[in-house]
Amino acid sequence: MKHRRALFLLVPMGLAAHPCQSCHPQEAVGYSHSRMAQSLRRPGNEPAGTFTAAGSGTRFTIRSDSKGTWQRMERSGEVSEYQVAYVIGSGSHAAGYLIQIGGHLFQSPICYYTSRRAYDLAPGYERIADPDFTRPVGEECVLCHSGRPLYVPGTVNQYTRPTFAEEAISCARCHGAAEEHLRRPVPGSIVNPARLTPAARDSICEQCHLAGVTRILNPGMDFDHFRPGQRLEEVFTVYTGAGARAFKVISHAEQLALSACARSSQGKLWCGTCHDPHPRAAPASQTYSARCQTCHQGKLPRSHPGAANCVSCHMTRRQARDGGHTVFTDHRITRRPAPDEAGSPPEDLVAWRDPEPALRARNLALAYLNAGISGRSPSQIVRGYRMLTAVQKAAPGDVGVLKGIGRALLLGKEPLEALKAFEQVLQLAPNSATSEEDVGIASLESGQVDKAASHLERALELDPLQLSAATALQAVYRRQGHDEKAAALADRMRLTMQSAPMNSGR
């Protein structure tokens, strides 16, 4: 029964069996042991619990009943309650939660930490004064935790119905679409990662296990455009800090590349060397030690008499800088536990692998801008902006470049110039709530209040749950002296957020 239940995680809702299962039953059963097969699920009988967030005094209560799982928030006399739509993560370290309102996904500020068997704030919420359920969950966030999210392009966090064509990660994530293989089931009609070139092979794992400092999409691309067999750089480029050695959750590829094992393997050592995606049994420490001994067997009996667990010493479990209240395995494979290097994160960025030459300056410029904004580094923002102005001359219709220039100018207190860039974006990408919001914000910052109101109202027409646009529009109404309209909009958004349909998107 355990295998039967786990296999169900592989299939799209409503189908009796996954098409790969009929010809590859052992691989399907093996995959059911993997954490990827349990990456997203509907809530079941989740543990009950309660906790109070330090600092804000917000009290959270989690309960389950016959209709689902509920999370209640109490703060300063106000109470709100949300039904959990999805549980995200395998639960080996932790489980996060998504709520769904009007076809939009939002992150719960609550996380269940498996090792402690307790609830606490989710990573990223620890320093927020008033944690709530309003953080939007975009495509890039949910893509690596699910099989096939049906994201609406050009929105912040809107999805079609059903929300996922496949909920948990399925065979297609590593092997590509199965249609051709089903028509012609011969070797070569589907992707075998182990037989790809190193860059294409590693890209399959790196699509989810290499976050870097920032990821930059190529023009016209979305993150879900990547297909097994491609290099990541055909869709997006990952940028890392030059010489950075900080231990982060989603940096497995960076860590492994630093190891002596990988450096001396001439590209032969990769994730699949140690991680079998179709294991006959759930992996244990002895599983990984056996992998080590395939290369080190001759020396180990003399230098490590009686040693049976390589991982406990050479791949220690550590607290990640960005991982919340849990620990993760360090993939640097060090002789002795190695601490992070002290000091500030490096300012210089490098591409994990370069994109095609025509995109190198563009993507690097956007990487500096994004890194500067997220890391609050004025020098990186200025560096990125200067590079973008040179790039824009050669690509005047590049929406990503124009958006970047607009963001930099807005941060640099040049709203009129930012407005020009955002208006060009709106012409190139009409009927976009995010583009309308950008024009509205720049109009407000440049003192054109009525124009700001018009564009922000249009943004909410296109996407009634674009919360950032609603917040900006409230400020516009107050600037116009329409306090009653601002209050009405705030009440409307609050009621919308607190009245989630029970089965939205199911």
Side-chain angles (χ1 to χ4, degrees), residues 58-75:
T58 307
R59 181 177 177 83
F60 295 99
T61 304
I62 301 90
R63 64 179 178 84
S64 295
D65 59 26
S66 60
K67 295 181 179 179
T69 296
W70 307 83
Q71 296 183 342
R72 180 184 177 92
M73 181 176 70
E74 302 171 72
R75 182 172 58 233

Side-chain angles (χ1 to χ4, degrees), residues 371-424:
I373 292 172
S374 62
R376 299 182 180 180
S377 169
S379 63
Q380 286 184 319
I381 294 172
V382 170
R383 188 172 181 177
Y385 169 71
R386 288 174 176 169
M387 294 173 67
L388 281 177
T389 55
V391 169
Q392 198 263 339
K393 294 175 183 177
D398 189 318
V399 169
V401 170
L402 288 168
K403 280 187 175 182
I405 289 173
R407 293 171 71 197
L409 288 167
L410 206 57
L411 288 168
K413 306 300 181 184
E414 297 287 346
L416 281 172
E417 294 302 312
L419 181 58
K420 293 177 184 178
F422 288 140
E423 286 178 330
Q424 290 183 64

Side-chain angles (χ1 to χ4, degrees), residues 116 198 214 244 282 312 343 408 418 425 433 445 465 485:
R116 296 163 50 198
T214 186
S312 62
V425 172
E445 293 293 321
L465 273 175
K485 291 179 70 175

Side-chain angles (χ1 to χ4, degrees), residues 10-79:
L10 293 173
V11 307
M13 293 301 293
L15 297 184
H18 194 278
C20 301
Q21 184 180 337
S22 59
C23 294
H24 303 281
Q26 290 185 345
E27 287 80 2
V29 170
Y31 182 69
S32 72
H33 296 301
S34 75
R35 293 170 183 173
M36 291 186 293
Q38 295 134 32
S39 60
L40 185 86
R41 62 178 173 84
R42 302 291 178 92
N45 189 23
E46 306 302 313
T50 185
F51 72 96
T52 300
S56 69
T58 307
R59 181 177 177 83
F60 295 99
T61 304
I62 301 90
R63 64 179 178 84
S64 295
D65 59 26
S66 60
K67 295 181 179 179
T69 296
W70 307 83
Q71 296 183 342
R72 180 184 177 92
M73 181 176 70
E74 302 171 72
R75 182 172 58 233
S76 302
E78 294 191 5
V79 178

Side-chain angles (χ1 to χ4, degrees), residues 285-477:
S285 59
Q286 293 82 0
T287 308
Y288 301 114
S289 295
R291 301 286 196 279
C292 298
Q293 290 168 18
T294 59
C295 293
H296 298 280
Q297 191 170 17
K299 299 178 180 179
L300 284 177
R302 295 193 302 273
S303 61
H304 294 67
N309 187 345
C310 307
V311 171
S312 62
C313 291
H314 301 287
M315 299 180 71
T316 53
R317 292 170 66 80
R318 305 176 54 206
Q319 180 80 37
R321 175 178 292 182
D322 57 345
H325 311 275
T326 189
V327 294
F328 299 85
T329 300
D330 188 344
H331 281 67
R332 290 180 291 185
I333 318 178
T334 55
R335 286 192 174 188
R336 296 176 179 82
D340 288 343
E341 292 183 355
S344 302
E347 289 277 314
D348 290 336
L349 300 178
V350 293
W352 183 250
R353 282 184 300 269
D354 277 320
E356 61 176 277
L359 295 176
R360 289 177 186 175
R362 172 202 187 268
N363 288 5
L364 182 59
L366 288 170
Y368 274 115
L369 179 63
N370 285 2
I373 292 172
S374 62
R376 299 182 180 180
S377 169
S379 63
Q380 286 184 319
I381 294 172
V382 170
R383 188 172 181 177
Y385 169 71
R386 288 174 176 169
M387 294 173 67
L388 281 177
T389 55
V391 169
Q392 198 263 339
K393 294 175 183 177
D398 189 318
V399 169
V401 170
L402 288 168
K403 280 187 175 182
I405 289 173
R407 293 171 71 197
L409 288 167
L410 206 57
L411 288 168
K413 306 300 181 184
E414 297 287 346
L416 281 172
E417 294 302 312
L419 181 58
K420 293 177 184 178
F422 288 140
E423 286 178 330
Q424 290 183 64
V425 172
L426 187 57
Q427 290 178 356
L428 293 166
N431 298 318
S432 164
T434 55
S435 297
E436 292 283 0
E437 180 183 352
D438 287 338
V439 173
I441 296 293
S443 299
L444 176 61
E445 293 293 321
S446 60
Q448 302 176 63
V449 181
D450 292 342
K451 183 176 181 178
S454 175
H455 284 283
L456 291 169
E457 287 168 349
R458 174 60 177 157
L460 289 178
E461 286 176 14
L462 293 167
D463 186 349
L465 273 175
Q466 188 148 319
L467 301 183
S468 55
T471 299
L473 185 55
Q474 291 171 50
V476 169
Y477 286 154

Side-chain angles (χ1 to χ4, degrees), residues 79-95:
V79 178
S80 56
E81 190 170 69
Y82 299 90
Q83 185 177 18
V84 174
Y86 300 98
V87 182
I88 195 166
S90 68
S92 58
H93 293 290

Side-chain angles (χ1 to χ4, degrees), residues 98-437:
L98 304 180
I99 64 168
Q100 190 168 39
I101 302 172
H104 296 66
L105 289 179
F106 295 91
Q107 182 182 357
S108 164
I110 299 170
C111 193
Y112 182 78
Y113 293 96
T114 306
S115 61
R116 296 163 50 198
R117 296 184 180 181
Y119 288 99
D120 207 330
L121 289 174
Y125 285 89
E126 299 92 342
R127 292 180 293 276
I128 294 178
D130 299 317
D132 57 25
F133 291 78
T134 61
R135 180 181 290 178
V137 177
E139 178 193 29
E140 186 180 7
C141 175
V142 79
L143 192 61
C144 288
H145 290 279
S146 64
R148 286 179 56 203
L150 300 179
Y151 167 75
V152 178
T155 67
V156 176
N157 63 327
Q158 191 171 2
Y159 299 80
T160 64
R161 298 188 183 190
T163 308
F164 300 96
E166 294 180 349
E167 292 185 356
I169 294 169
S170 72
C171 310
R173 182 58 59 87
C174 298
H175 297 286
E179 286 80 6
E180 174 63 22
H181 188 63
L182 291 170
R183 285 193 298 267
R184 193 171 58 91
V186 296
S189 63
I190 199 164
V191 173
N192 181 344
R195 294 182 180 177
L196 297 173
T197 63
R201 175 199 68 194
D202 295 345
S203 290
I204 289 174
C205 303
E206 291 164 358
Q207 62 178 310
C208 292
H209 293 277
L210 175 65
V213 174
T214 186
R215 295 173 158 201
I216 302 300
L217 285 166
N218 294 344
M221 290 290 179
D222 282 321
F223 288 103
D224 71 342
H225 288 173
F226 173 78
R227 295 292 181 267
Q230 294 181 304
R231 295 166 73 249
L232 278 186
E233 294 70 35
E234 295 179 50
V235 179
F236 61 89
T237 309
V238 180
Y239 289 88
T240 64
R245 291 175 178 262
F247 181 66
K248 300 182 295 182
V249 174
I250 310 176
S251 60
H252 310 88
E254 285 184 78
Q255 296 163 31
L256 185 63
L258 292 170
S259 71
C261 297
R263 295 199 311 270
S264 62
S265 76
Q266 298 177 330
K268 294 179 181 178
L269 180 68
W270 69 295
C271 306
T273 303
C274 300
H275 294 282
D276 182 355
H278 319 109
R280 292 185 179 274
S285 59
Q286 293 82 0
T287 308
Y288 301 114
S289 295
R291 301 286 196 279
C292 298
Q293 290 168 18
T294 59
C295 293
H296 298 280
Q297 191 170 17
K299 299 178 180 179
L300 284 177
R302 295 193 302 273
S303 61
H304 294 67
N309 187 345
C310 307
V311 171
S312 62
C313 291
H314 301 287
M315 299 180 71
T316 53
R317 292 170 66 80
R318 305 176 54 206
Q319 180 80 37
R321 175 178 292 182
D322 57 345
H325 311 275
T326 189
V327 294
F328 299 85
T329 300
D330 188 344
H331 281 67
R332 290 180 291 185
I333 318 178
T334 55
R335 286 192 174 188
R336 296 176 179 82
D340 288 343
E341 292 183 355
S344 302
E347 289 277 314
D348 290 336
L349 300 178
V350 293
W352 183 250
R353 282 184 300 269
D354 277 320
E356 61 176 277
L359 295 176
R360 289 177 186 175
R362 172 202 187 268
N363 288 5
L364 182 59
L366 288 170
Y368 274 115
L369 179 63
N370 285 2
I373 292 172
S374 62
R376 299 182 180 180
S377 169
S379 63
Q380 286 184 319
I381 294 172
V382 170
R383 188 172 181 177
Y385 169 71
R386 288 174 176 169
M387 294 173 67
L388 281 177
T389 55
V391 169
Q392 198 263 339
K393 294 175 183 177
D398 189 318
V399 169
V401 170
L402 288 168
K403 280 187 175 182
I405 289 173
R407 293 171 71 197
L409 288 167
L410 206 57
L411 288 168
K413 306 300 181 184
E414 297 287 346
L416 281 172
E417 294 302 312
L419 181 58
K420 293 177 184 178
F422 288 140
E423 286 178 330
Q424 290 183 64
V425 172
L426 187 57
Q427 290 178 356
L428 293 166
N431 298 318
S432 164
T434 55
S435 297
E436 292 283 0
E437 180 183 352

